[in-house]
């Protein structure tokens, strides 16, 4: 596997010019690729929503190269946020904090809070430092779809809407950041990610889990997120071969995302063995789902993953991907039907 971690100065200069012109730049992070705009230019941030087909009520994360610029975006930094930033930044953690009043409404969806993250990917750091400001960026996919973990996924998803796609190789983590909200009411995990609940609790003690009800807008928790176009179903490990065999006998084309090899060869089945290691499984998950989505199958069967907390983020995304075909047409702004943690 080729790992590209640095961009040339010419690429960075071009990307910075695009951001200053109010255009969109896709860039790698260690979680997934982001679709970036100058967070201080509302017209530029508006273009993100147009390119993704995402409703403007769904706020975006502001990326910074260092926590030292936090006060430009955040009104107050609770001690617990300070501690989490020190422990996990730069890295796959997003903090939702009280917003600074001068932050544009398009960034926060008009809410009183703002999501901020300091990414670790060297190319993201290079871009942020050269730009010298905050970059507003959701994942660089069409609304509700699988996040991109490679530059070519971004081009497939968004094409000409993006002026520049910086290619930083495969995203190391492969799943979106852990999102934690901190306000007067304490610390709350809104979206599981590579930073686990146990790791958060080691730093701040008590952490609530899930979106409070009535839920504020946390679209990452909408059940129609993270979905391939092919209907996806989660199947217990001991049923996966039977299902594959039945499909094969009926001449039905199905795709399987398993954690082991098939017991036999099934002619009409496309089978991926994603292995038993959570970090490797997460790294490849979205690329595997894209591959299976393109295999021309009527269904994707996913072998149920283990129950321990290393698999929380993976399980969360799989449940949402599988929920998409069950709740087709559901209002994506209504969260909580399937809280962020399974
Ligand atoms: O790993 C990641 O977090 C990637 C990379 C590019 O940083 N970004 C990402 O962004 O996944 P996005 O927009 O796809 O997911 C961010 C989630 C959304 O569900 C959004 O609604 C939520 O964060 N969010 C943003 N601002 C929020 C806020 N003020 N309060 C609650 N949730 C917020
Ligand atoms: Mg997203």
């Amino acid at each position: 596997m080729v790992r590209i971690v640095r961009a040339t100065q010419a690429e960075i200069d071009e990307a910075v010019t695009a951001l200053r012109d109010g255009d969109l730049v896709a860039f790698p992070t260690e979680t997934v690729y982001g679709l970036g705009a100058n967070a201080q230019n509302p017209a530029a941030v508006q273009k993100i929503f147009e390119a993704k087909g995402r409703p403007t009520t769904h706020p975006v994360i502001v990326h910074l190269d260092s926590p030292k610029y936090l006060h430009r975006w955040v009104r107050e930094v609770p001690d617990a946020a300070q501690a989490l930033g020190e422990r996990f930044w730069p890295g796959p953690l997003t903090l939702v904090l009280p917003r600074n009043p001068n932050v544009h409404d398009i960034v926060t969806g008009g809410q009183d809070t703002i999501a901020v993250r300091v990414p670790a990917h060297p190319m993201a750091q290079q871009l942020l430092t050269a730009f010298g400001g905050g970059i507003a960026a959701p994942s660089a996919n069409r609304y509700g779809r699988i996040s991109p973990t490679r530059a070519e996924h971004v081009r497939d998803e968004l094409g000409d809407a993006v002026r520049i796609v910086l290619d930083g190789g495969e995203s190391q983590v492969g799943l979106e950041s852990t999102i934690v909200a901190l306000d007067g009411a304490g610390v709350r995990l809104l979206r599981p990610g590579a930073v686990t609940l146990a790791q958060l609790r080691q730093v701040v003690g008590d952490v609530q889990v899930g979106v409070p009800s009535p839920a504020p807008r946390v679209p990452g928790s909408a059940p129609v997120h993270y979905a391939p176009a092919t209907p996806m179903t989660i199947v217990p490990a001991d049923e996966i071969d039977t299902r594959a065999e039945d499909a094969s006998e009926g001449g039905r084309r199905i795709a399987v995302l398993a954690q082991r090899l098939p017991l036999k060869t099934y002619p009409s089945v496309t089978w991926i063995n994603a292995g038993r290691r959570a970090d490797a499984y997460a790294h490849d998950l979205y690329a595997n789902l894209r591959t299976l989505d393109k295999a021309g199958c009527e269904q994707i069967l996913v072998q149920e993953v283990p129950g321990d907390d290393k698999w929380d983020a993976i399980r969360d995304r799989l449940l949402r991907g599988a929920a998409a075909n069950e709740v087709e047409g559901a209002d994506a702004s209504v969260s909580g039907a399937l809280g962020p943690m399974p």
Side-chain angles (χ1 to χ4, degrees):
M1 176 181 65
V2 183
R3 254 182 60 74
I4 311 157
V5 289
R6 302 283 297 178
T8 63
Q9 195 54 48
E11 287 172 316
I12 293 293
D13 289 348
E14 219 186 317
V16 168
T17 304
L19 290 170
R20 296 208 172 121
D21 287 350
D23 284 333
L24 303 184
V25 172
F27 62 99
T29 87
E30 71 279 21
T31 57
V32 300
Y33 275 71
L35 179 61
N38 178 357
Q40 280 176 302
N41 178 344
V45 178
Q46 177 67 38
K47 288 185 187 171
I48 293 177
F49 293 95
E50 285 159 17
K52 279 181 68 87
R54 166 157 152 168
T56 51
T57 46
H58 293 218
V60 291
I61 299 171
V62 173
H63 296 70
L64 307 172
D65 70 342
S66 161
K68 64 177 186 266
Y69 302 118
L70 215 49
H71 63 271
R72 293 186 189 168
W73 305 92
V74 168
R75 192 168 64 235
E76 70 178 81
V77 182
D79 291 346
Q82 182 75 28
L84 290 171
E86 279 170 18
R87 171 69 180 82
F88 297 111
W89 279 343
L93 176 72
T94 295
L95 298 181
V96 173
L97 297 165
R99 77 188 262 197
N100 195 318
N102 58 21
V103 176
H104 291 287
D105 277 344
I106 184 111
V107 171
T108 64
Q111 300 189 85
D112 193 35
T113 53
I114 181 170
V116 284
R117 174 158 107 85
V118 179
H121 194 295
M123 209 181 278
Q125 280 284 329
Q126 244 183 315
L127 177 67
L128 285 160
T129 303
F131 179 58
I135 299 181
S139 50
N141 51 281
R142 303 272 314 158
Y143 179 60
R145 294 296 174 197
I146 301 168
S147 296
T149 53
R150 297 177 188 169
E152 70 256 31
H153 298 166
V154 180
R155 295 193 195 97
D156 286 354
E157 289 266 333
L158 300 171
D160 294 340
V162 193
R163 182 154 142 192
I164 293 166
V165 180
L166 290 176
D167 187 344
E170 297 177 10
S171 293
Q172 216 176 340
V173 173
L175 296 180
E176 305 80 1
S177 60
T178 303
I179 303 183
V180 174
L182 299 103
D183 50 31
V187 184
R188 184 174 282 277
L189 174 63
L190 298 181
R191 180 173 74 183
V195 174
T196 63
L197 185 58
Q199 286 178 305
L200 295 169
R201 286 186 170 146
Q202 270 169 16
V203 177
V204 295
D206 191 32
V207 179
Q208 319 252 58
V209 176
V211 180
S213 51
R217 288 187 295 271
V218 187
S221 67
V224 293
H225 266 69
Y226 315 111
T230 314
M232 182 169 130
T233 307
I234 298 170
V235 177
D238 59 356
E239 286 176 25
I240 203 115
D241 271 89
T242 326
R243 297 280 290 261
E245 185 155 26
D246 288 352
S248 221
E249 279 166 7
R252 286 181 294 116
R253 299 200 50 157
I254 63 157
V256 174
L257 182 61
Q259 292 180 257
R260 55 170 173 75
L261 292 167
L263 299 177
K264 289 195 271 179
T265 303
Y266 309 114
S268 67
V269 175
T270 306
W271 185 293
I272 290 180
N273 171 16
R276 291 171 181 276
R277 273 186 40 202
D279 55 351
Y281 189 106
H283 175 275
D284 293 341
L285 176 61
Y286 290 150
N288 284 339
L289 289 176
R290 277 173 197 276
T291 301
L292 295 178
D293 214 8
K294 285 183 187 158
C297 295
E298 60 186 60
Q299 198 181 22
I300 300 174
L301 301 181
V302 180
Q303 179 184 334
E304 193 177 29
V305 296
D308 55 294
D309 82 335
K310 285 199 300 289
W311 293 84
D312 279 351
I314 294 166
R315 203 176 322 105
D316 172 76
R317 304 312 189 273
L318 290 175
L319 284 171
R320 287 175 205 294
N325 49 300
E326 282 149 33
V327 292
E328 205 84 287
D331 177 1
S333 71
V334 178
S335 55
L338 183 84
M341 295 285 283

